[in-house]
Amino acid sequence: AQSVTQLDSQVPVFEEAPVELRCNYSSSVSVYLFWYVQYPNQGLQLLLKYLSGSTLVKGINGFEAEFNKSQTSFHLRKPSVHISDTAEYFCAVSESNFGNEKLTFGTGTRLTIIP
Amino acid sequence: DAGVTQSPTHLIKTRGQQVTLRCSPISGHKSVSWYQQVLGQGPQFIFQYYEKEERGRGNFPDRFSARQFPNYSSELNVNALLLGDSALYLCASSFRLADEQYFGPGTRLTVT
């Protein structure tokens, strides 16, 4: 069975500083990896995804993530954060066997930007 | 284009009651998935439907059921509500099974 671990439940960062949100996964088969953002009282919005190919994935709002198969990690990074990045971030994994594309989510990381 | 829509937005029910939540996918999308997000946790997969057939089911009791209609909209039913069913219920749609899932704003269910 697949699982996702987000190592930090809360991350405070000063505005314009860089940030890394950590994600590790466990699966016995090939996976697809995703990062979603959730603003207060809203649904989930896809930031970026890794399906195959280049291990460095660029997403919306200046975020990027790197897939590391040997370390089973998919950490999210942004070189300079803004107040508007304050939100909950979820890492998710989907096993790449066609027929059931359920997403397994981590417990989330709350990113707080300090002015 | 309209995104995924869910109704109602908020709902308050009493223990033991039954509830039906509704989801309309993005036009042209044939797959709908349901997730439960308890406060402070990540979403948990409940069901996935594709072309009106159940294609996946998470680790939820039989009190939870769902269906998908010919127009690809979907309903999630929960019977014999428990306090622990209080959560944000999210619906997601995708064009095909292997495509990106787009999430709706969710239905906030409170069981008292």
Coordinates of all heavy atoms in Angstrom, one line a residue, chain B residues 31-106:
Chain B
S31 N -14.8 11.0 -15.0 CA -14.4 10.4 -13.8 C -14.7 11.3 -12.6 O -14.4 12.5 -12.7 CB -13.0 10.0 -13.8 OG -12.6 9.4 -12.6
V32 N -15.3 10.7 -11.5 CA -15.5 11.5 -10.3 C -15.0 10.7 -9.1 O -15.2 9.5 -9.0 CB -17.0 11.8 -10.1 CG1 -17.3 12.3 -8.7 CG2 -17.6 12.7 -11.2
S33 N -14.3 11.4 -8.3 CA -13.8 10.8 -7.0 C -14.3 11.6 -5.8 O -14.5 12.8 -5.9 CB -12.3 10.8 -7.0 OG -11.8 10.0 -8.1
W34 N -14.5 10.9 -4.7 CA -14.9 11.5 -3.4 C -13.8 11.3 -2.4 O -13.2 10.2 -2.3 CB -16.2 10.9 -2.9 CG -17.4 11.3 -3.7 CD1 -18.0 10.6 -4.8 CD2 -18.2 12.4 -3.5 NE1 -19.1 11.2 -5.2 CE2 -19.3 12.4 -4.5 CE3 -18.2 13.5 -2.6 CZ2 -20.3 13.4 -4.5 CZ3 -19.1 14.5 -2.7 CH2 -20.2 14.4 -3.7
Y35 N -13.6 12.4 -1.6 CA -12.6 12.3 -0.5 C -13.2 12.9 0.7 O -14.0 13.8 0.7 CB -11.3 13.1 -0.9 CG -10.5 12.5 -2.0 CD1 -10.9 12.8 -3.3 CD2 -9.4 11.8 -1.8 CE1 -10.1 12.2 -4.4 CE2 -8.6 11.2 -2.8 CZ -9.0 11.5 -4.1 OH -8.3 10.9 -5.1
Q36 N -12.8 12.4 1.9 CA -13.2 13.0 3.2 C -12.0 13.6 3.8 O -10.9 13.0 3.9 CB -13.7 11.8 4.1 CG -14.1 12.3 5.5 CD -14.2 11.2 6.5 OE1 -13.3 10.6 6.8 NE2 -15.5 11.0 7.0
Q37 N -12.1 14.9 4.2 CA -11.0 15.6 4.9 C -11.5 16.0 6.3 O -12.2 17.0 6.5 CB -10.6 16.8 4.1 CG -9.4 17.5 4.7 CD -8.9 18.7 3.9 OE1 -9.6 19.2 3.1 NE2 -7.7 19.1 4.1
V38 N -11.0 15.3 7.3 CA -11.3 15.6 8.7 C -10.4 16.8 9.0 O -9.3 16.9 8.6 CB -11.0 14.4 9.6 CG1 -11.1 14.8 11.0 CG2 -12.0 13.3 9.2
L39 N -10.9 17.6 9.9 CA -10.1 18.8 10.3 C -8.7 18.5 10.8 O -8.5 17.6 11.6 CB -10.9 19.6 11.4 CG -10.5 21.0 11.7 CD1 -10.7 21.9 10.5 CD2 -11.2 21.5 12.9
G40 N -7.8 19.2 10.1 CA -6.4 19.0 10.5 C -5.7 17.8 9.8 O -4.5 17.5 10.2
Q41 N -6.4 17.1 8.9 CA -5.8 16.0 8.2 C -5.8 16.2 6.7 O -6.5 17.1 6.2 CB -6.5 14.7 8.7 CG -6.3 14.4 10.1 CD -7.0 13.1 10.5 OE1 -7.2 12.2 9.6 NE2 -7.3 12.9 11.8
G42 N -5.1 15.3 6.0 CA -5.2 15.3 4.6 C -6.5 14.6 4.1 O -7.0 13.8 4.9
P43 N -6.9 14.8 2.9 CA -8.1 14.1 2.4 C -7.8 12.6 2.3 O -6.7 12.2 2.0 CB -8.2 14.7 1.0 CG -7.5 16.0 1.0 CD -6.4 15.8 2.0
Q44 N -8.9 11.8 2.5 CA -8.8 10.4 2.4 C -9.8 9.9 1.3 O -11.0 10.3 1.3 CB -9.2 9.7 3.7 CG -8.1 9.7 4.8 CD -8.3 8.7 5.8 OE1 -9.3 8.8 6.6 NE2 -7.5 7.7 5.9
F45 N -9.3 9.0 0.5 CA -10.1 8.5 -0.7 C -11.3 7.7 -0.2 O -11.1 6.8 0.6 CB -9.2 7.7 -1.6 CG -9.9 7.0 -2.7 CD1 -10.3 7.7 -3.8 CD2 -10.1 5.6 -2.6 CE1 -10.9 7.0 -4.9 CE2 -10.7 5.0 -3.7 CZ -11.1 5.7 -4.8
I46 N -12.5 8.0 -0.8 CA -13.7 7.2 -0.4 C -14.1 6.4 -1.6 O -14.2 5.1 -1.5 CB -14.8 8.1 0.0 CG1 -14.4 9.1 1.0 CG2 -16.0 7.3 0.5 CD1 -15.6 10.1 1.3
F47 N -14.3 7.0 -2.8 CA -14.8 6.3 -4.0 C -14.2 6.9 -5.2 O -13.9 8.1 -5.2 CB -16.3 6.4 -4.1 CG -17.1 5.5 -3.2 CD1 -17.8 6.1 -2.2 CD2 -17.2 4.2 -3.4 CE1 -18.6 5.3 -1.3 CE2 -17.9 3.4 -2.5 CZ -18.6 4.0 -1.5
Q48 N -14.1 6.1 -6.3 CA -13.9 6.7 -7.6 C -14.9 6.0 -8.6 O -15.1 4.8 -8.6 CB -12.5 6.5 -8.1 CG -12.3 7.1 -9.5 CD -10.8 7.0 -10.0 OE1 -10.2 6.0 -9.8 NE2 -10.3 8.1 -10.5
Y49 N -15.5 6.8 -9.4 CA -16.4 6.3 -10.5 C -15.9 6.8 -11.8 O -15.4 7.9 -12.0 CB -17.8 6.8 -10.3 CG -18.6 6.0 -9.3 CD1 -18.4 6.2 -7.9 CD2 -19.5 5.0 -9.7 CE1 -19.1 5.4 -7.0 CE2 -20.2 4.3 -8.8 CZ -20.0 4.4 -7.4 OH -20.6 3.7 -6.5
Y50 N -16.0 5.9 -12.8 CA -15.7 6.3 -14.2 C -16.7 5.6 -15.1 O -17.0 4.4 -15.0 CB -14.3 5.7 -14.5 CG -13.8 6.0 -15.9 CD1 -13.6 7.3 -16.4 CD2 -13.7 5.0 -16.9 CE1 -13.2 7.6 -17.7 CE2 -13.3 5.2 -18.2 CZ -13.1 6.5 -18.6 OH -12.7 6.8 -19.9
E51 N -17.3 6.4 -16.0 CA -18.3 6.0 -16.9 C -19.4 5.2 -16.1 O -19.8 4.1 -16.6 CB -17.7 5.1 -18.0 CG -16.9 5.9 -19.0 CD -17.8 6.5 -20.0 OE1 -19.0 6.7 -19.8 OE2 -17.2 6.9 -21.1
K52 N -19.8 5.7 -15.0 CA -20.9 5.2 -14.2 C -20.6 3.9 -13.4 O -21.5 3.3 -12.8 CB -22.1 5.1 -15.0 CG -22.6 6.4 -15.6 CD -23.7 6.3 -16.7 CE -23.1 5.6 -17.9 NZ -22.6 6.6 -18.9
E53 N -19.3 3.5 -13.5 CA -19.0 2.2 -12.8 C -18.0 2.6 -11.6 O -17.1 3.4 -11.8 CB -18.3 1.2 -13.7 CG -19.3 0.6 -14.7 CD -18.7 -0.5 -15.5 OE1 -17.5 -0.8 -15.3 OE2 -19.3 -1.0 -16.4
E54 N -18.2 1.9 -10.5 CA -17.2 2.1 -9.4 C -15.9 1.5 -9.8 O -15.8 0.3 -10.2 CB -17.8 1.4 -8.2 CG -16.9 1.6 -6.9 CD -17.4 0.9 -5.7 OE1 -18.5 1.1 -5.3 OE2 -16.6 0.0 -5.1
R55 N -14.8 2.3 -9.7 CA -13.5 1.8 -10.1 C -12.5 1.7 -8.9 O -11.4 1.2 -9.0 CB -12.9 2.7 -11.1 CG -13.7 2.8 -12.4 CD -13.9 1.4 -13.1 NE -12.6 0.9 -13.5 CZ -12.1 1.0 -14.8 NH1 -12.8 1.7 -15.6 NH2 -11.0 0.5 -15.1
G56 N -13.0 2.2 -7.8 CA -12.1 2.1 -6.6 C -12.9 2.5 -5.3 O -13.9 3.3 -5.4
R57 N -12.5 1.9 -4.2 CA -13.2 2.2 -3.0 C -12.2 2.2 -1.9 O -11.3 1.3 -1.8 CB -14.2 1.1 -2.7 CG -15.0 1.4 -1.4 CD -16.0 0.2 -1.0 NE -16.7 0.6 0.1 CZ -18.1 0.8 0.1 NH1 -18.7 0.7 -1.0 NH2 -18.7 1.1 1.2
G58 N -12.2 3.2 -1.0 CA -11.3 3.3 0.1 C -11.8 2.5 1.3 O -12.8 1.8 1.2
N59 N -11.1 2.7 2.4 CA -11.3 2.0 3.6 C -12.4 2.6 4.4 O -12.1 3.2 5.5 CB -10.1 1.8 4.4 CG -10.2 0.9 5.6 OD1 -11.1 0.0 5.6 ND2 -9.4 1.0 6.6
F60 N -13.6 2.6 3.9 CA -14.8 3.2 4.6 C -15.9 2.2 4.8 O -16.0 1.3 4.0 CB -15.3 4.4 3.8 CG -14.5 5.7 4.0 CD1 -13.3 5.9 3.3 CD2 -14.9 6.7 4.9 CE1 -12.5 7.0 3.4 CE2 -14.1 7.8 5.0 CZ -13.0 8.0 4.3
P61 N -16.7 2.3 5.9 CA -17.7 1.3 6.1 C -18.8 1.4 5.1 O -18.9 2.3 4.3 CB -18.2 1.7 7.5 CG -17.9 3.2 7.6 CD -16.6 3.4 6.9
D62 N -19.6 0.4 5.1 CA -20.7 0.2 4.1 C -21.8 1.3 4.3 O -22.7 1.4 3.4 CB -21.4 -1.1 4.2 CG -20.5 -2.2 3.8 OD1 -19.5 -1.9 3.1 OD2 -20.7 -3.4 4.1
R63 N -21.7 2.1 5.3 CA -22.7 3.2 5.5 C -22.4 4.3 4.4 O -23.3 5.1 4.1 CB -22.4 3.9 6.9 CG -22.7 3.0 8.1 CD -22.5 3.8 9.4 NE -21.2 4.4 9.6 CZ -20.9 5.6 9.5 NH1 -21.8 6.5 9.1 NH2 -19.6 6.0 9.7
F64 N -21.3 4.2 3.8 CA -20.9 5.1 2.7 C -21.2 4.5 1.4 O -20.8 3.3 1.1 CB -19.5 5.5 2.8 CG -19.1 6.4 3.9 CD1 -19.0 6.0 5.2 CD2 -18.9 7.8 3.7 CE1 -18.6 6.8 6.2 CE2 -18.5 8.6 4.7 CZ -18.4 8.2 6.0
S65 N -22.0 5.2 0.5 CA -22.2 4.6 -0.8 C -22.3 5.8 -1.8 O -22.4 7.0 -1.4 CB -23.6 3.9 -0.9 OG -24.6 4.8 -0.6
A66 N -22.1 5.5 -3.1 CA -22.1 6.6 -4.1 C -22.7 6.0 -5.4 O -22.8 4.8 -5.6 CB -20.7 7.1 -4.3
R67 N -23.0 6.9 -6.3 CA -23.3 6.5 -7.6 C -23.0 7.7 -8.6 O -22.9 8.8 -8.2 CB -24.8 6.1 -7.7 CG -25.8 7.2 -7.2 CD -27.2 6.7 -7.3 NE -28.2 7.7 -6.8 CZ -29.5 7.6 -6.9 NH1 -30.0 6.6 -7.7 NH2 -30.3 8.5 -6.4
Q68 N -22.9 7.3 -9.8 CA -22.7 8.3 -10.9 C -23.8 8.2 -11.9 O -24.2 7.0 -12.3 CB -21.3 8.1 -11.6 CG -21.0 9.2 -12.5 CD -19.6 9.0 -13.2 OE1 -19.1 7.9 -13.3 NE2 -18.9 10.1 -13.5
F69 N -24.3 9.3 -12.3 CA -25.5 9.3 -13.2 C -25.0 9.4 -14.7 O -23.8 9.7 -15.0 CB -26.3 10.5 -12.9 CG -26.9 10.4 -11.5 CD1 -26.3 11.1 -10.4 CD2 -28.0 9.6 -11.2 CE1 -26.8 11.0 -9.1 CE2 -28.5 9.5 -9.9 CZ -27.9 10.2 -8.9
P70 N -25.9 9.2 -15.6 CA -25.6 9.3 -17.1 C -24.9 10.6 -17.5 O -24.1 10.6 -18.4 CB -26.9 9.0 -17.8 CG -27.7 8.1 -16.8 CD -27.3 8.7 -15.5
N71 N -25.3 11.7 -16.8 CA -24.6 13.0 -17.1 C -23.3 13.2 -16.4 O -22.7 14.3 -16.4 CB -25.6 14.1 -16.8 CG -25.9 14.3 -15.3 OD1 -25.4 13.4 -14.5 ND2 -26.6 15.3 -15.0
Y72 N -22.8 12.1 -15.7 CA -21.5 12.0 -15.0 C -21.5 12.8 -13.7 O -20.5 12.7 -13.0 CB -20.4 12.5 -15.9 CG -20.2 11.7 -17.2 CD1 -20.6 12.3 -18.4 CD2 -19.8 10.4 -17.1 CE1 -20.5 11.5 -19.6 CE2 -19.7 9.7 -18.3 CZ -20.1 10.2 -19.5 OH -20.0 9.5 -20.6
S73 N -22.7 13.4 -13.3 CA -22.7 13.9 -11.9 C -22.8 12.8 -10.9 O -23.0 11.6 -11.3 CB -24.0 14.8 -11.8 OG -25.1 14.0 -11.9
S74 N -22.6 13.1 -9.7 CA -22.4 12.0 -8.7 C -23.1 12.4 -7.4 O -23.2 13.6 -7.1 CB -21.0 11.7 -8.5 OG -20.8 10.6 -7.5
E75 N -23.5 11.4 -6.6 CA -24.0 11.6 -5.3 C -23.2 10.7 -4.3 O -22.9 9.5 -4.7 CB -25.5 11.2 -5.2 CG -26.4 12.2 -5.8 CD -27.9 11.8 -5.6 OE1 -28.1 10.7 -5.2 OE2 -28.7 12.6 -5.9
L76 N -23.0 11.2 -3.1 CA -22.4 10.5 -2.1 C -23.4 10.4 -1.0 O -23.9 11.4 -0.5 CB -21.1 11.1 -1.5 CG -20.5 10.4 -0.3 CD1 -19.8 9.1 -0.7 CD2 -19.4 11.4 0.3
N77 N -23.7 9.2 -0.5 CA -24.7 9.0 0.6 C -24.0 8.4 1.8 O -23.2 7.5 1.7 CB -25.8 8.0 0.1 CG -26.6 8.5 -1.0 OD1 -27.5 9.4 -0.8 ND2 -26.4 8.1 -2.2
V78 N -24.4 8.9 2.9 CA -23.9 8.4 4.2 C -25.1 8.1 5.1 O -25.9 9.0 5.4 CB -22.9 9.4 4.9 CG1 -22.3 8.7 6.1 CG2 -21.8 9.8 3.9
N79 N -25.2 6.9 5.5 CA -26.3 6.5 6.4 C -25.8 6.4 7.9 O -24.6 6.3 8.1 CB -26.8 5.1 6.0 CG -27.5 5.1 4.7 OD1 -28.2 6.1 4.3 ND2 -27.3 4.1 3.9
A80 N -26.8 6.5 8.8 CA -26.5 6.3 10.2 C -25.3 7.1 10.6 O -24.3 6.6 11.1 CB -26.3 4.8 10.5
L81 N -25.4 8.4 10.4 CA -24.3 9.3 10.7 C -23.8 9.2 12.1 O -24.5 9.1 13.1 CB -24.8 10.8 10.4 CG -24.9 11.2 8.9 CD1 -25.6 12.5 8.8 CD2 -23.5 11.2 8.3
L82 N -22.4 9.3 12.2 CA -21.7 9.4 13.5 C -21.1 10.7 13.6 O -20.8 11.4 12.6 CB -20.7 8.2 13.5 CG -21.2 6.8 13.3 CD1 -20.0 5.9 13.2 CD2 -22.1 6.4 14.4
L83 N -20.7 11.1 14.9 CA -20.0 12.3 15.1 C -18.7 12.4 14.3 O -18.4 13.4 13.8 CB -19.7 12.5 16.6 CG -20.9 12.7 17.5 CD1 -20.4 12.8 19.0 CD2 -21.7 13.9 17.1
G84 N -18.1 11.2 14.1 CA -16.8 11.2 13.4 C -16.9 11.4 11.9 O -15.9 11.5 11.2
D85 N -18.2 11.4 11.4 CA -18.4 11.7 10.0 C -18.3 13.2 9.7 O -18.3 13.6 8.5 CB -19.7 11.2 9.5 CG -19.8 9.7 9.6 OD1 -18.8 9.0 9.5 OD2 -20.9 9.2 9.8
S86 N -18.2 14.0 10.7 CA -18.0 15.5 10.5 C -16.7 15.7 9.8 O -15.7 15.3 10.3 CB -18.0 16.2 11.9 OG -19.3 16.1 12.5
A87 N -16.8 16.4 8.7 CA -15.7 16.6 7.8 C -16.0 17.5 6.6 O -17.2 17.8 6.4 CB -15.1 15.2 7.3
L88 N -15.0 17.8 5.9 CA -15.2 18.4 4.6 C -15.1 17.3 3.5 O -14.2 16.5 3.4 CB -14.0 19.4 4.3 CG -14.1 20.2 3.0 CD1 -15.3 21.1 2.9 CD2 -12.8 21.0 2.7
Y89 N -16.2 17.2 2.7 CA -16.2 16.2 1.7 C -15.9 16.8 0.3 O -16.6 17.7 -0.1 CB -17.6 15.5 1.7 CG -17.8 14.6 2.9 CD1 -18.2 15.1 4.1 CD2 -17.4 13.3 2.8 CE1 -18.3 14.3 5.2 CE2 -17.5 12.4 4.0 CZ -17.9 13.0 5.2 OH -18.0 12.2 6.3
L90 N -14.9 16.3 -0.3 CA -14.4 16.9 -1.5 C -14.7 16.0 -2.7 O -14.6 14.8 -2.6 CB -12.9 17.1 -1.5 CG -12.4 18.1 -0.4 CD1 -10.9 17.9 -0.2 CD2 -12.7 19.5 -0.9
C91 N -15.1 16.6 -3.8 CA -15.3 15.9 -5.0 C -14.3 16.3 -6.0 O -13.9 17.5 -6.1 CB -16.7 16.2 -5.5 SG -17.1 15.5 -7.2
A92 N -13.8 15.4 -6.8 CA -12.8 15.7 -7.8 C -13.2 15.1 -9.1 O -13.7 14.0 -9.1 CB -11.4 15.3 -7.4
S93 N -13.0 15.8 -10.2 CA -13.3 15.1 -11.5 C -12.1 15.2 -12.4 O -11.1 16.0 -12.3 CB -14.4 15.9 -12.2 OG -14.0 17.1 -12.8
S94 N -12.0 14.2 -13.4 CA -11.0 14.2 -14.4 C -11.6 13.7 -15.7 O -12.6 13.0 -15.7 CB -9.8 13.3 -13.9 OG -10.2 12.0 -13.7
F95 N -10.9 14.0 -16.8 CA -11.5 13.6 -18.1 C -11.4 12.0 -18.2 O -12.4 11.4 -18.6 CB -10.6 14.2 -19.2 CG -11.1 13.8 -20.6 CD1 -12.4 14.1 -21.0 CD2 -10.3 13.2 -21.4 CE1 -12.8 13.8 -22.3 CE2 -10.7 12.8 -22.7 CZ -11.9 13.1 -23.1
R96 N -10.3 11.5 -17.9 CA -10.1 10.0 -17.9 C -9.5 9.6 -16.5 O -9.1 10.4 -15.7 CB -9.2 9.6 -19.0 CG -9.8 9.9 -20.4 CD -8.7 9.7 -21.5 NE -7.5 10.6 -21.2 CZ -6.5 10.7 -22.1 NH1 -6.5 10.1 -23.2 NH2 -5.5 11.5 -21.8
L97 N -9.4 8.3 -16.3 CA -8.9 7.8 -15.1 C -7.5 8.3 -14.8 O -7.2 8.6 -13.7 CB -8.9 6.3 -15.1 CG -10.2 5.6 -14.7 CD1 -10.1 4.1 -14.9 CD2 -10.6 6.0 -13.3
A98 N -6.7 8.4 -15.8 CA -5.2 8.7 -15.5 C -4.9 10.2 -15.6 O -3.8 10.5 -15.6 CB -4.4 7.9 -16.5
D99 N -5.9 11.0 -15.7 CA -5.7 12.4 -15.8 C -5.7 13.2 -14.5 O -6.2 12.7 -13.5 CB -6.8 13.0 -16.8 CG -6.6 12.6 -18.2 OD1 -5.5 12.2 -18.6 OD2 -7.6 12.7 -19.0
E100 N -5.3 14.4 -14.6 CA -5.2 15.3 -13.4 C -6.6 15.4 -12.8 O -7.6 15.6 -13.5 CB -4.7 16.7 -13.8 CG -4.8 17.7 -12.7 CD -4.4 19.1 -13.3 OE1 -3.6 19.1 -14.3 OE2 -4.8 20.1 -12.7
Q101 N -6.7 15.4 -11.5 CA -8.0 15.6 -10.8 C -8.2 17.0 -10.4 O -7.3 17.7 -9.8 CB -8.1 14.7 -9.6 CG -8.1 13.2 -10.0 CD -8.3 12.3 -8.8 OE1 -9.0 12.6 -7.9 NE2 -7.6 11.2 -8.8
Y102 N -9.4 17.6 -10.7 CA -9.7 18.9 -10.4 C -10.7 18.9 -9.2 O -11.8 18.2 -9.3 CB -10.4 19.7 -11.5 CG -9.4 19.9 -12.7 CD1 -9.1 18.9 -13.6 CD2 -8.7 21.2 -12.8 CE1 -8.2 19.2 -14.6 CE2 -7.8 21.4 -13.8 CZ -7.6 20.4 -14.7 OH -6.7 20.6 -15.7
F103 N -10.5 19.6 -8.1 CA -11.3 19.5 -6.9 C -12.3 20.6 -6.9 O -12.1 21.7 -7.3 CB -10.4 19.6 -5.7 CG -9.7 18.3 -5.4 CD1 -8.5 17.9 -6.1 CD2 -10.2 17.4 -4.5 CE1 -7.9 16.7 -5.8 CE2 -9.6 16.2 -4.2 CZ -8.4 15.9 -4.9
G104 N -13.5 20.3 -6.3 CA -14.5 21.3 -6.0 C -14.2 21.9 -4.6 O -13.3 21.5 -3.9
P105 N -15.0 22.9 -4.2 CA -14.8 23.6 -3.0 C -15.2 22.8 -1.7 O -14.8 23.1 -0.6 CB -15.7 24.8 -3.1 CG -16.8 24.4 -4.0 CD -16.2 23.4 -5.0
G106 N -15.9 21.7 -1.9 CA -16.3 20.8 -0.8 C -17.6 21.1 -0.2 O -18.2 22.2 -0.4

